[in-house]
Amino acid sequence: AGGIILSEEAGWTILLQGNEGEEGGALMRSVLNDALSGPRIGEYTLTKKENRSPFKEYASVGLMMLSFLIGGLAISFAMVDEKEQNVTKAFSVTPLTPAAYFAARGLLSGVIGFVVAIIGHFILTGGAGTPLGPFLLALIAGAPLPLLIVLIIGGISKNQIQALAVLKIVMTLYLSLPFVTIIVPRTWHWLFYIFPNYWMFRTFESIYVTGARTGDLPLAAGITVLTG
């Protein structure tokens, strides 16, 4: 056993019984030196790790894709309604060609999807955390997809009942197919390359999902435009 005392003549002094050994003396000197050194002043940096939620990130991707789907559905059902009211027959006596008719409907559906996607983006992020340039590139790349939806639902369906049946198939393929790739090994992703919604999914994944494939945005956006 040992101790530390303070005397007027010697100041702080270590008292040992003599049977502690070298380790005991060294320990007491370390304690004394630490006590006499006073407070330790230094610079410290605290880093707060951001709470990452993969579910929220992929929900953002799904919301962006759903925005374009909404644009396509709105125009598709309007076209089906025009068929039921025999409005489309009146176009046969006008200079309006079928190609121009579908192009106009596709353009309008793209604008609706564009606006809904922007509103959804700002609701999710508040406009912060995502560079505006890549986001606009993703929107422009995804703009042709609503036209494809219009052609499928509005072009095939003759009435609202048929449109609802086609919608179930289109919506399942449009949203479910790309999200399946989350659990599919990337070595098998080539099976999905022919689907434009797969590339649309990868475009928004590169924006919203932490750790997405580096440099994937330009490639995915370009192929989305070509396949869409």
Side-chain angles (χ1 to χ4, degrees):
I4 301 174
I5 64 172
L6 176 63
S7 63
E8 295 181 359
E9 296 81 8
W12 292 100
T13 305
I14 299 176
L15 295 180
L16 300 174
Q17 289 184 350
N19 59 353
E20 292 83 357
E22 295 183 0
E23 293 182 358
L27 178 60
M28 294 299 294
R29 286 192 295 271
S30 176
V31 173
L32 178 60
N33 291 334
D34 188 64
L36 296 177
S37 63
R40 297 181 180 180
I41 302 175
E43 294 183 359
Y44 302 91
T45 301
L46 298 178
T47 303
K48 183 179 179 181
K49 186 177 180 180
E50 183 179 356
N51 293 328
R52 175 176 173 263
S53 173
F55 177 80
K56 181 180 179 181
E57 292 174 346
Y58 279 106
S60 301
V61 175
L63 180 59
M64 291 299 103
M65 296 186 66
L66 186 61
S67 300
F68 286 98
L69 180 63
I70 291 174
L73 293 181
I75 303 304
S76 296
F77 278 90
M79 289 176 58
V80 173
D81 183 65
E82 289 176 352
K83 287 183 179 181
E84 291 182 327
Q85 301 297 329
N86 293 323
V87 175
T88 53
K89 292 183 179 180
F91 293 146
S92 60
V93 296
T94 66
L96 184 65
T97 64
Y101 173 76
F102 280 107
R105 294 296 186 269
L107 179 61
L108 181 57
S109 65
V111 171
I112 294 174
F114 202 91
V115 172
V116 174
I118 291 177
I119 295 174
H121 170 74
F122 279 93
I123 291 176
L124 286 170
T125 66
T130 303
L132 183 60
F135 175 67
L136 291 178
L137 175 61
L139 290 184
I140 295 172
L145 265 295
L147 175 58
L148 182 60
I149 297 172
V150 168
L151 290 174
I152 294 175
I153 300 179
I156 296 177
S157 306
K158 296 181 179 180
N159 52 58
Q160 302 287 347
I161 303 297
Q162 289 184 1
L164 289 174
V166 176
L167 170 61
K168 293 179 181 179
I169 299 174
V170 170
M171 193 167 184
T172 300
L173 294 176
Y174 179 78
L175 291 176
S176 301
L177 188 105
F179 277 91
V180 168
T181 62
I182 298 175
I183 60 175
V184 174
R186 290 186 179 180
T187 53
W188 291 96
H189 278 204
W190 60 271
L191 295 172
F192 301 90
Y193 286 178
I194 62 172
F195 300 104
N197 50 326
Y198 165 76
W199 294 104
M200 186 183 194
F201 171 82
R202 281 183 57 173
T203 302
F204 287 109
E205 182 187 38
S206 64
I207 294 177
Y208 291 104
V209 179
T210 304
R213 283 162 277 208
T214 305
D216 204 28
L217 178 60
L219 172 65
I223 299 179
T224 301
V225 174
L226 293 176
T227 56

